[in-house]
Amino acid sequence: MSSQRKTANILDRPLSKGKSEVNISTFAFLFSELVHYARTRVKQQTNNELHDKLADFGKHVGSRLVDVLFLRERSYKRETKLLNVLLFIKSNLWKSLFGKEADGLEKDNEEDNIYYVTEKEPLVNKFVSLNTDHAKETYNVNCAAFISGIIEEVLNCCNFPAKVTSHWHQGTAFRIIFEKSMIKKDKLLEAK
C-alpha cells in the first residue's frame, strides 16, 4: 500500500491575502516605459490624446481588478448603492493599489451626479517627466489619467456608468461624472 498524497487543484486553493507589494523602482521603470509607449502611439502629440491613451491602459487594469477585489474583500458581494461603491474605491481599491486610502472624497456643490476623489501625490506622477524635442513645447501631462481609467472601469463593471477624468487641483482630483439615470436609481434605492 503506497501512501499517495492528495494534491489540491489550483482552483481549489484559497487566494493569498499576503503582502504583494512591488518594488517601487520596478514600478517606476515599468510605468515610465508605459508612458513612453503611449506617447509614441499618439498621432498629434497632444495632452488629451496622451491622457486618453493612458486611461485606456488603466481600463484594462481596472477590469481585471474588479473580480479579485470583490472576491477578497467582499466575499462576492457587489455594491448596489452609489455612496458605498465610492467609499469602496476610496478605501479598498486605493489600499490594494497604493497601500493607503485616497486623501479625499467630495461631492460637487452644484451637480448631484459629480464626485471627486482626491490624491495629493499620486504615485504615477512621482517618477515620470516628459521632455519634448522642441524647447518651446511643454507638456502638462497628468499621468494619473492611468488611475482615472482604472476607476472608470471599476465603476462600469459594477454597473455604475461613469466618465472619470484627472485634473490638477490640490494634487490630483479624479472627477467622476455619473449618468443622471444612476442618481435617480440610487435615490429610489434609498427610499426603500
Side-chain angles (χ1 to χ4, degrees):
M1 200 187 233
S2 66
S3 64
Q4 292 182 351
R5 198 173 197 189
K6 216 177 188 184
T7 59
N9 187 351
I10 192 165
L11 297 174
D12 296 332
R13 293 184 209 157
L15 289 173
S16 171
K17 280 192 164 190
K19 296 252 182 196
S20 56
E21 294 177 3
V22 175
N23 185 313
I24 193 76
S25 60
T26 304
F27 172 78
F29 173 73
L30 288 174
F31 189 74
S32 67
E33 288 298 311
L34 178 79
V35 172
H36 176 71
Y37 178 81
R39 186 173 170 212
T40 60
R41 297 303 185 263
V42 294
K43 293 178 184 172
Q44 296 177 349
Q45 298 290 325
T46 63
N47 288 348
N48 289 338
E49 273 189 290
L50 186 55
H51 284 166
D52 292 344
K53 186 67 83 174
L54 289 173
D56 287 342
F57 289 141
K59 288 177 186 178
H60 291 292
V61 174
S63 67
R64 286 156 178 81
L65 272 175
V66 171
D67 291 328
V68 172
L69 287 176
F70 279 102
L71 175 67
R72 287 183 182 171
E73 304 292 332
R74 304 279 188 195
S75 301
Y76 295 108
K77 182 184 171 210
R78 298 241 176 142
E79 297 297 341
T80 57
K81 294 188 178 181
L82 186 67
L83 184 59
N84 290 346
V85 79
L86 287 170
L87 290 172
F88 175 80
I89 286 171
K90 180 188 180 287
S91 60
N92 297 49
L93 176 69
W94 232 259
K95 282 181 185 176
S96 69
L97 290 174
F98 307 113
K100 67 178 195 78
E101 283 192 21
D103 293 330
L105 173 64
E106 299 172 18
K107 184 177 180 181
D108 191 74
N109 293 333
E110 297 171 7
E111 298 287 330
D112 62 346
N113 65 326
I114 299 177
Y115 289 82
Y116 297 93
V117 174
T118 56
E119 182 69 26
K120 290 179 184 162
E121 283 188 47
L123 181 65
V124 294
N125 285 344
K126 203 173 219 178
F127 301 107
V128 177
S129 65
L130 295 174
N131 297 322
T132 61
D133 296 334
H134 306 292
K136 292 181 181 180
E137 291 181 21
T138 58
Y139 276 90
N140 190 20
V141 174
N142 190 345
C143 291
F146 178 76
I147 300 171
S148 66
I150 294 173
I151 296 169
E152 182 174 328
E153 193 61 25
V154 167
L155 288 169
N156 289 333
C157 288
C158 292
N159 295 323
F160 289 93
K163 179 68 181 154
V164 182
T165 55
S166 58
H167 304 275
W168 297 107
H169 177 70
Q170 298 174 354
T172 297
F174 300 96
R175 184 178 191 204
I176 304 169
I177 304 173
F178 290 101
E179 291 182 1
K180 294 281 188 182
S181 62
M182 287 310 310
I183 304 302
K184 292 176 186 176
K185 178 183 166 187
D186 195 55
K187 287 180 180 177
L188 288 173
L189 282 173
E190 286 181 13
K192 289 183 180 182

